[in-house]
């Protein structure tokens, strides 16, 4: 699987880097002080590089769960919901790629800070702390997105039996699935920019906002509007059930639709 491969690739890269650093070739004309400085720089860069990716295991685990949900939906023969779960799977794959690219950039940034002789050791530490705070913020946002995609994938599995029953009854389920498709599509893979953060306090403030607005800047409105629409559908369905002109078969179908809408309402309450 792509996640497992990515994790192994990162591990191999770090292991190779470690081997290389332990056998650093120092030019013969280096003075002892310069050589020590060079080795110290290499070791520090390796240390920070290793830290950069160490917190991504939760995201990888989440991706595996979503993959399993997609397989389960396929086995159940619920193709429409399987396709949505597959989109969630691809979305998380793209998030991992984007996060890896961003963290690689932070690694280079730390390397540049360590090399900057115009900075004192204290100034270097201060700048690196901000970069590491940004790293934490990027991973936190990615975890929030991964968690949202997993919740969507989980509710798809819960809805599968209802969708299959409605399909057999000839009911078009596109309208029921639309909010879930919309939510998956609203999650952007790229981490929200932290370029405007000048200190750790700024980073933490932006991090909180980014981890909340996982469906874009209007995340709250998206959830609120979807919940409102579902409430209206539940209300309309209940009115139909009280209509004496509707056949018994139609009422049974409406009851099944109600199960789906109530499951969606419960799902949206988690955001």
């Amino acid at each position: 699987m792509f996640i497992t491969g990515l994790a192994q690739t990162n591990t191999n890269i770090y292991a190779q880097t470690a081997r290389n650093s332990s056998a650093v070739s120092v030019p013969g004309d280096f003075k002892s002080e310069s050589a020590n400085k060079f080795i110290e720089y290499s070791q520090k860069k390796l240390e920070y590089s290793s830290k950069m990716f160490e917190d991504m295991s939760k995201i990888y685990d989440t991706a595996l769960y979503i993959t399993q949900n997609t397989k389960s939906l396929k086995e159940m023969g619920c193709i429409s919901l399987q396709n949505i779960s597959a989109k969630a799977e691809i979305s998380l794959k793209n998030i991992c790629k984007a996060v890896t690219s961003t963290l690689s950039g932070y690694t280079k940034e730390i390397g540049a800070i360590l090399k900057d002789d115009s900075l004192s050791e204290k100034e270097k530490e201060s700048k690196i702390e901000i970069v590491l705070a940004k790293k934490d913020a990027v991973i936190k946002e990615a975890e929030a997105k991964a968690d949202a995609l997993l919740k969507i994938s989980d509710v798809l599995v819960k809805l599968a039996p209802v969708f299959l029953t409605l399909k057999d009854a000839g009911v078009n389920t596109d309208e029921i699935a639309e909010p879930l498709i919309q939510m998956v599509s609203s999650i952007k893979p790229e981490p929200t920019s932290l370029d405007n953060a000048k200190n750790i306090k700024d980073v933490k403030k932006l991090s909180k906002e980014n981890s909340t607005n996982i469906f874009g800047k209007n995340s709250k409105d998206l959830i609120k509007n979807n919940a409102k629409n579902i409430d209206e559908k539940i209300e309309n369905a209940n009115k139909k059930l009280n209509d004496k002109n509707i056949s018994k078969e139609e009422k049974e179908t409406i009851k099944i639709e109600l199960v789906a809408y109530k499951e969606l309402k419960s799902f949206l309450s988690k955001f």
Side-chain angles (χ1 to χ4, degrees):
M1 295 181 184
F2 83 90
I3 292 297
T4 303
L6 181 58
Q8 289 174 342
T9 299
N10 286 336
T11 300
N12 291 338
I13 289 173
Y14 298 141
Q16 184 61 48
T17 307
R19 287 193 294 271
N20 292 343
S21 69
S22 64
V24 172
S25 177
V26 182
D29 59 348
F30 257 38
K31 292 181 180 179
S32 179
E33 184 179 349
S34 298
N36 289 337
K37 188 175 181 181
F38 176 76
I39 294 171
E40 183 182 359
Y41 160 77
S42 299
Q43 289 175 337
K44 281 186 177 181
K45 187 177 178 183
L46 175 62
E47 178 186 344
Y48 286 120
S49 297
S50 300
K51 285 181 179 179
M52 195 61 67
F53 295 89
E54 66 185 0
D55 298 326
M56 289 187 68
S57 59
K58 184 178 179 181
I59 302 172
Y60 297 149
D61 289 343
T62 301
L64 294 177
Y65 286 125
I66 295 176
T67 298
Q68 186 56 53
N69 282 343
T70 305
K71 288 182 178 179
S72 296
L73 288 164
K74 182 179 181 180
E75 290 169 359
M76 285 187 272
C78 197
I79 306 303
S80 60
L81 298 189
Q82 176 200 337
N83 290 338
I84 301 173
S85 186
K87 286 181 180 178
E89 196 175 337
I90 293 170
S91 179
L92 187 48
K93 178 180 179 179
N94 291 332
I95 288 168
C96 286
K97 286 182 178 179
V99 169
T100 299
S101 177
T102 299
L103 298 185
S104 295
Y106 287 158
T107 300
K108 291 179 181 178
E109 187 176 344
I110 288 176
I113 292 169
L114 290 171
K115 265 188 173 181
D116 192 343
D117 292 333
S118 69
L119 299 172
S120 66
E121 288 303 313
K122 189 174 182 180
E123 287 172 327
K124 288 180 181 180
E125 288 177 8
S126 178
K127 285 181 176 292
I128 289 173
E129 281 180 5
I130 294 174
V131 177
L132 292 177
K134 288 181 179 180
K135 179 265 291 187
D136 291 340
V138 165
I139 291 178
K140 184 178 179 181
E141 180 183 358
E143 286 179 345
K145 290 177 178 178
D147 183 61
L149 289 167
L150 178 59
K151 286 176 181 174
I152 293 170
S153 186
D154 282 344
V155 79
L156 291 171
V157 175
K158 289 182 180 179
L159 287 170
V162 178
F163 266 60
L164 291 172
T165 303
L166 291 173
K167 181 182 177 183
D168 291 340
V171 176
N172 187 337
T173 55
D174 291 348
E175 195 172 338
I176 301 174
E178 179 57 32
L180 299 172
I181 297 172
Q182 185 185 34
M183 290 171 76
V184 172
S185 301
S186 297
I187 297 177
K188 304 303 179 187
E190 298 79 15
T192 308
S193 175
L194 296 167
D195 291 346
N196 293 330
K198 304 301 180 184
N199 50 52
I200 292 179
K201 185 178 179 181
D202 288 345
V203 174
K204 288 183 177 180
K205 181 181 177 182
L206 288 171
S207 176
K208 186 176 181 180
E209 293 175 3
N210 297 343
S211 298
T212 302
N213 296 325
I214 50 179
F215 301 109
K217 291 183 179 179
N218 299 317
S219 290
K220 289 183 179 180
D221 290 337
L222 175 67
I223 300 299
K224 185 178 179 180
N225 290 335
N226 278 330
K228 182 180 178 182
N229 290 335
I230 290 171
D231 283 337
E232 290 175 357
K233 294 181 187 302
I234 291 174
E235 185 179 349
N236 291 334
N238 284 324
K239 285 181 180 178
K240 288 180 181 179
L241 288 177
N242 293 323
D243 189 342
K244 295 179 180 179
N245 296 319
I246 292 180
S247 67
K248 183 179 179 181
E249 290 75 13
E250 286 178 299
K251 286 187 177 183
E252 288 302 314
T253 300
I254 292 169
K255 287 179 181 178
I256 296 171
E257 287 180 305
L258 266 174
V259 172
Y261 287 128
K262 287 179 179 179
E263 187 64 57
L264 279 175
K265 184 178 179 180
S266 175
F267 158 74
L268 289 173
S269 69
K270 297 175 182 179
F271 293 95

